[in-house]
Amino acid sequence: MRGWQHGTVADTFVLLHAPALGPASWASVASALGRTGHQVAVPALAGFSTGGPPYVPHLVQQAVAQLPVTGVDHVVLVPHSGAGVFTPYLAAAVQGAAVSVLFADAALPPPSGEPGPATVVDAGFLPFLRELAIDGMVPPWPDWWPDEDLSPLFPDAETERAVTGEAPALPLAFYTEPLPPVPASWPACRCAFLQFSPGYQEPAAAARRRGWPVRELPGDHLHMLIDPEAVAAALIDLAGIAA
Protein backbone atom coordinates (compact mmCIF):
# COMPACT_ATOMS: atom_id res chain seq x y z
CA MET A 1 0.00 0.00 0.00
CA ARG A 2 1.32 3.44 -0.84
CA GLY A 3 2.45 5.76 1.92
CA TRP A 4 0.52 8.55 3.49
CA GLN A 5 0.14 11.73 1.48
CA HIS A 6 0.96 14.89 3.38
CA GLY A 7 -2.19 16.95 3.74
CA THR A 8 -2.65 17.65 0.05
CA VAL A 9 -5.89 18.21 -1.85
CA ALA A 10 -5.45 14.64 -3.12
CA ASP A 11 -6.84 13.58 0.25
CA THR A 12 -10.47 12.47 0.21
CA PHE A 13 -12.01 12.47 3.67
CA VAL A 14 -14.75 9.91 4.28
CA LEU A 15 -16.64 10.94 7.42
CA LEU A 16 -18.43 7.95 8.95
CA HIS A 17 -21.28 8.70 11.33
CA ALA A 18 -22.24 6.48 14.24
CA PRO A 19 -24.99 3.99 13.32
CA ALA A 20 -27.17 5.57 16.00
CA LEU A 21 -26.86 9.00 14.34
CA GLY A 22 -26.83 10.25 10.74
CA PRO A 23 -24.81 12.32 8.23
CA ALA A 24 -25.89 15.61 9.84
CA SER A 25 -23.51 14.83 12.71
CA TRP A 26 -20.61 15.42 10.27
CA ALA A 27 -22.17 18.11 8.04
CA SER A 28 -20.37 21.10 9.56
CA VAL A 29 -16.95 19.43 9.40
CA ALA A 30 -17.64 18.30 5.83
CA SER A 31 -18.29 21.93 4.89
CA ALA A 32 -15.14 23.09 6.69
CA LEU A 33 -13.00 20.49 4.92
CA GLY A 34 -14.57 21.37 1.59
CA ARG A 35 -13.62 25.01 2.06
CA THR A 36 -9.97 23.95 2.31
CA GLY A 37 -10.14 22.25 -1.08
CA HIS A 38 -10.37 18.66 0.10
CA GLN A 39 -12.83 16.19 -1.33
CA VAL A 40 -15.33 14.93 1.24
CA ALA A 41 -17.82 12.07 1.33
CA VAL A 42 -20.32 11.39 4.13
CA PRO A 43 -21.89 7.95 3.57
CA ALA A 44 -25.45 7.60 4.88
CA LEU A 45 -26.24 4.43 6.79
CA ALA A 46 -29.99 4.99 7.15
CA GLY A 47 -32.00 1.85 6.45
CA PHE A 48 -29.16 -0.66 6.73
CA SER A 49 -31.13 -2.70 9.28
CA THR A 50 -34.31 -3.07 7.23
CA GLY A 51 -33.03 -6.19 5.48
CA GLY A 52 -32.81 -8.06 8.75
CA PRO A 53 -29.84 -9.99 10.13
CA PRO A 54 -27.00 -10.32 9.71
CA TYR A 55 -26.89 -6.55 10.15
CA VAL A 56 -23.16 -5.84 10.12
CA PRO A 57 -22.58 -7.01 6.51
CA HIS A 58 -25.54 -4.86 5.39
CA LEU A 59 -24.08 -1.79 7.10
CA VAL A 60 -20.62 -2.38 5.64
CA GLN A 61 -21.96 -3.00 2.12
CA GLN A 62 -24.07 0.15 2.26
CA ALA A 63 -21.13 2.26 3.36
CA VAL A 64 -18.73 0.69 0.84
CA ALA A 65 -21.14 1.46 -1.99
CA GLN A 66 -20.75 5.17 -1.16
CA LEU A 67 -16.96 5.25 -0.91
CA PRO A 68 -15.09 7.18 -3.63
CA VAL A 69 -13.73 4.77 -6.21
CA THR A 70 -12.09 6.79 -9.00
CA GLY A 71 -9.52 9.57 -9.19
CA VAL A 72 -8.58 9.29 -5.52
CA ASP A 73 -4.98 9.06 -4.30
CA HIS A 74 -5.56 8.93 -0.56
CA VAL A 75 -8.74 7.96 1.32
CA VAL A 76 -8.94 9.16 4.92
CA LEU A 77 -11.61 7.25 6.81
CA VAL A 78 -12.87 9.18 9.84
CA PRO A 79 -15.20 7.07 11.99
CA HIS A 80 -17.01 8.62 14.93
CA SER A 81 -18.17 6.76 18.03
CA GLY A 82 -19.53 3.29 17.29
CA ALA A 83 -18.51 3.45 13.62
CA GLY A 84 -14.93 2.73 14.63
CA VAL A 85 -15.40 -1.03 14.87
CA PHE A 86 -16.38 -1.24 11.19
CA THR A 87 -13.27 0.44 9.76
CA PRO A 88 -11.20 -2.72 9.11
CA TYR A 89 -13.85 -3.96 6.68
CA LEU A 90 -14.14 -0.57 4.98
CA ALA A 91 -10.38 -0.10 4.73
CA ALA A 92 -10.05 -3.54 3.13
CA ALA A 93 -12.66 -2.55 0.52
CA VAL A 94 -10.78 0.53 -0.73
CA GLN A 95 -8.97 -0.24 -3.98
CA GLY A 96 -6.31 1.75 -5.81
CA ALA A 97 -5.65 4.34 -3.11
CA ALA A 98 -3.66 4.74 0.07
CA VAL A 99 -5.84 4.53 3.18
CA SER A 100 -5.59 6.23 6.56
CA VAL A 101 -8.00 5.90 9.48
CA LEU A 102 -8.49 8.76 11.93
CA PHE A 103 -10.65 7.62 14.85
CA ALA A 104 -12.65 10.61 16.11
CA ASP A 105 -13.79 9.82 19.67
CA ALA A 106 -14.43 6.33 18.33
CA ALA A 107 -14.27 2.72 19.42
CA LEU A 108 -11.21 0.80 18.27
CA PRO A 109 -11.29 -2.57 16.53
CA PRO A 110 -8.69 -5.09 17.63
CA PRO A 111 -5.62 -5.84 15.51
CA SER A 112 -6.04 -8.82 13.25
CA GLY A 113 -5.55 -12.09 15.11
CA GLU A 114 -6.17 -10.59 18.54
CA PRO A 115 -9.32 -11.00 20.63
CA GLY A 116 -11.52 -7.94 20.69
CA PRO A 117 -15.12 -6.88 21.11
CA ALA A 118 -17.34 -9.81 20.22
CA THR A 119 -20.29 -7.54 19.47
CA VAL A 120 -20.96 -4.18 17.86
CA VAL A 121 -20.89 -2.43 21.25
CA ASP A 122 -18.89 -3.23 24.35
CA ALA A 123 -20.46 -5.97 26.44
CA GLY A 124 -20.61 -3.63 29.44
CA PHE A 125 -23.01 -1.33 27.57
CA LEU A 126 -25.42 -4.05 26.49
CA PRO A 127 -27.42 -4.18 29.78
CA PHE A 128 -28.24 -0.49 29.35
CA LEU A 129 -29.49 -1.07 25.79
CA ARG A 130 -31.47 -4.14 26.81
CA GLU A 131 -33.25 -2.08 29.45
CA LEU A 132 -34.13 0.56 26.86
CA ALA A 133 -35.37 -1.89 24.24
CA ILE A 134 -39.10 -2.26 23.57
CA ASP A 135 -40.27 -5.26 21.55
CA GLY A 136 -36.72 -5.88 20.39
CA MET A 137 -36.07 -2.31 19.22
CA VAL A 138 -33.73 0.20 20.84
CA PRO A 139 -35.26 3.69 20.62
CA PRO A 140 -33.44 6.53 18.82
CA TRP A 141 -30.29 7.77 20.52
CA PRO A 142 -31.81 11.06 21.78
CA ASP A 143 -34.30 9.03 23.83
CA TRP A 144 -31.45 7.39 25.73
CA TRP A 145 -30.63 10.53 27.71
CA PRO A 146 -32.43 13.30 29.63
CA ASP A 147 -32.99 16.50 27.65
CA GLU A 148 -30.75 18.46 30.02
CA ASP A 149 -27.86 16.14 29.12
CA LEU A 150 -28.41 16.44 25.36
CA SER A 151 -28.75 20.19 24.84
CA PRO A 152 -25.13 21.08 25.80
CA LEU A 153 -23.89 18.77 23.04
CA PHE A 154 -25.24 21.08 20.31
CA PRO A 155 -24.32 24.64 19.31
CA ASP A 156 -27.93 25.67 18.66
CA ALA A 157 -31.49 24.37 18.46
CA GLU A 158 -31.42 24.08 14.66
CA THR A 159 -28.41 21.77 14.73
CA GLU A 160 -29.95 19.73 17.52
CA ARG A 161 -33.13 19.22 15.48
CA ALA A 162 -31.14 18.23 12.38
CA VAL A 163 -28.98 15.69 14.19
CA THR A 164 -31.58 14.18 16.50
CA GLY A 165 -34.12 14.01 13.68
CA GLU A 166 -31.88 11.55 11.80
CA ALA A 167 -31.32 9.20 14.73
CA PRO A 168 -32.97 5.83 13.98
CA ALA A 169 -34.48 3.18 16.19
CA LEU A 170 -32.37 0.05 15.69
CA PRO A 171 -32.88 -3.62 16.49
CA LEU A 172 -31.34 -4.73 19.76
CA ALA A 173 -30.03 -7.69 17.76
CA PHE A 174 -27.79 -5.29 15.79
CA TYR A 175 -25.98 -4.28 18.96
CA THR A 176 -25.61 -7.87 20.14
CA GLU A 177 -24.60 -9.31 16.76
CA PRO A 178 -21.09 -10.80 16.60
CA LEU A 179 -18.65 -8.83 14.49
CA PRO A 180 -17.16 -10.60 11.45
CA PRO A 181 -13.51 -11.69 11.75
CA VAL A 182 -11.13 -8.77 11.38
CA PRO A 183 -9.45 -8.90 7.93
CA ALA A 184 -5.90 -10.25 8.00
CA SER A 185 -4.71 -7.00 6.39
CA TRP A 186 -5.78 -4.85 9.37
CA PRO A 187 -4.18 -2.49 10.15
CA ALA A 188 -2.13 -2.23 6.96
CA CYS A 189 -3.00 1.49 6.81
CA ARG A 190 -1.84 4.43 8.91
CA CYS A 191 -4.03 5.18 11.92
CA ALA A 192 -4.41 8.02 14.40
CA PHE A 193 -6.83 9.07 17.14
CA LEU A 194 -8.60 12.38 17.81
CA GLN A 195 -10.08 12.52 21.30
CA PHE A 196 -12.93 14.84 22.22
CA SER A 197 -14.50 13.57 25.44
CA PRO A 198 -13.27 11.99 28.69
CA GLY A 199 -15.35 8.90 27.90
CA TYR A 200 -12.88 7.99 25.13
CA GLN A 201 -9.76 8.27 27.25
CA GLU A 202 -9.18 4.50 27.17
CA PRO A 203 -9.37 4.15 23.36
CA ALA A 204 -7.01 7.13 23.10
CA ALA A 205 -4.60 5.41 25.51
CA ALA A 206 -4.89 2.19 23.50
CA ALA A 207 -4.06 4.14 20.34
CA ARG A 208 -0.93 5.51 22.02
CA ARG A 209 0.09 1.99 23.02
CA ARG A 210 -0.21 0.98 19.38
CA GLY A 211 2.15 3.82 18.44
CA TRP A 212 -0.49 5.92 16.70
CA PRO A 213 -0.49 9.73 16.77
CA VAL A 214 -3.08 11.07 19.23
CA ARG A 215 -4.50 14.58 19.42
CA GLU A 216 -6.94 16.04 21.94
CA LEU A 217 -9.65 18.64 21.37
CA PRO A 218 -11.27 18.71 24.81
CA GLY A 219 -15.04 18.86 24.71
CA ASP A 220 -18.05 16.60 24.52
CA HIS A 221 -18.66 13.56 22.33
CA LEU A 222 -20.20 15.67 19.54
CA HIS A 223 -17.44 18.27 19.54
CA MET A 224 -17.42 18.27 15.72
CA LEU A 225 -20.73 20.16 15.97
CA ILE A 226 -19.39 22.71 18.46
CA ASP A 227 -16.11 23.59 16.73
CA PRO A 228 -16.08 22.14 13.20
CA GLU A 229 -13.24 24.36 12.02
CA ALA A 230 -10.92 23.11 14.77
CA VAL A 231 -11.94 19.50 14.13
CA ALA A 232 -11.34 19.89 10.39
CA ALA A 233 -7.91 21.42 11.03
CA ALA A 234 -7.01 18.59 13.41
CA LEU A 235 -8.06 15.98 10.85
CA ILE A 236 -5.98 17.63 8.14
CA ASP A 237 -3.01 17.76 10.50
CA LEU A 238 -3.35 14.10 11.49
CA ALA A 239 -3.76 13.05 7.86
CA GLY A 240 -0.38 14.61 7.13
CA ILE A 241 1.60 12.93 9.93
CA ALA A 242 3.76 9.99 8.99
CA ALA A 243 4.27 7.39 11.72
Side-chain angles (χ1 to χ4, degrees), residues 112-190:
S112 177
E114 292 190 12
T119 54
V120 169
V121 298
D122 186 87
F125 196 61
L126 288 177
F128 173 74
L129 295 179
R130 288 192 174 100
E131 187 173 339
L132 288 173
I134 300 172
D135 296 328
M137 295 294 294
V138 177
W141 175 80
D143 295 342
W144 300 5
W145 320 108
D147 289 344
E148 59 268 24
D149 292 343
L150 280 180
S151 293
L153 300 178
F154 301 95
D156 50 59
E158 181 180 0
T159 302
E160 182 173 1
R161 286 191 297 271
V163 173
T164 59
E166 288 183 340
L170 291 171
L172 177 62
F174 162 66
Y175 295 103
T176 62
E177 181 173 283
L179 288 166
V182 174
S185 59
W186 176 258
C189 52
R190 306 281 190 178

Side-chain angles (χ1 to χ4, degrees), residues 209-235:
R209 291 193 294 270
R210 297 183 190 187
W212 299 352
V214 176
R215 296 287 184 272
E216 295 182 38
L217 287 179
D220 289 315
H221 189 44
L222 300 182
H223 191 62
M224 64 276 203
L225 298 173
I226 300 297
D227 197 349
E229 298 289 343
V231 171
L235 293 176

Side-chain angles (χ1 to χ4, degrees), residues 15 26-38 40 224 227-233 236:
L15 308 179
W26 275 121
S28 297
V29 172
S31 295
L33 287 169
R35 288 192 292 273
T36 67
H38 290 86
V40 187
M224 64 276 203
D227 197 349
E229 298 289 343
V231 171
I236 294 170

Side-chain angles (χ1 to χ4, degrees), residues 12-17 23 40-48 58-70 72 75 77 90 93-94:
T12 294
F13 287 86
V14 178
L15 308 179
L16 302 164
H17 67 80
V40 187
V42 188
L45 302 178
F48 78 86
H58 293 324
L59 182 151
V60 172
Q61 290 165 12
Q62 184 165 323
V64 166
Q66 299 172 70
L67 295 182
V69 293
T70 58
V72 175
V75 172
L77 301 176
L90 299 173
V94 175

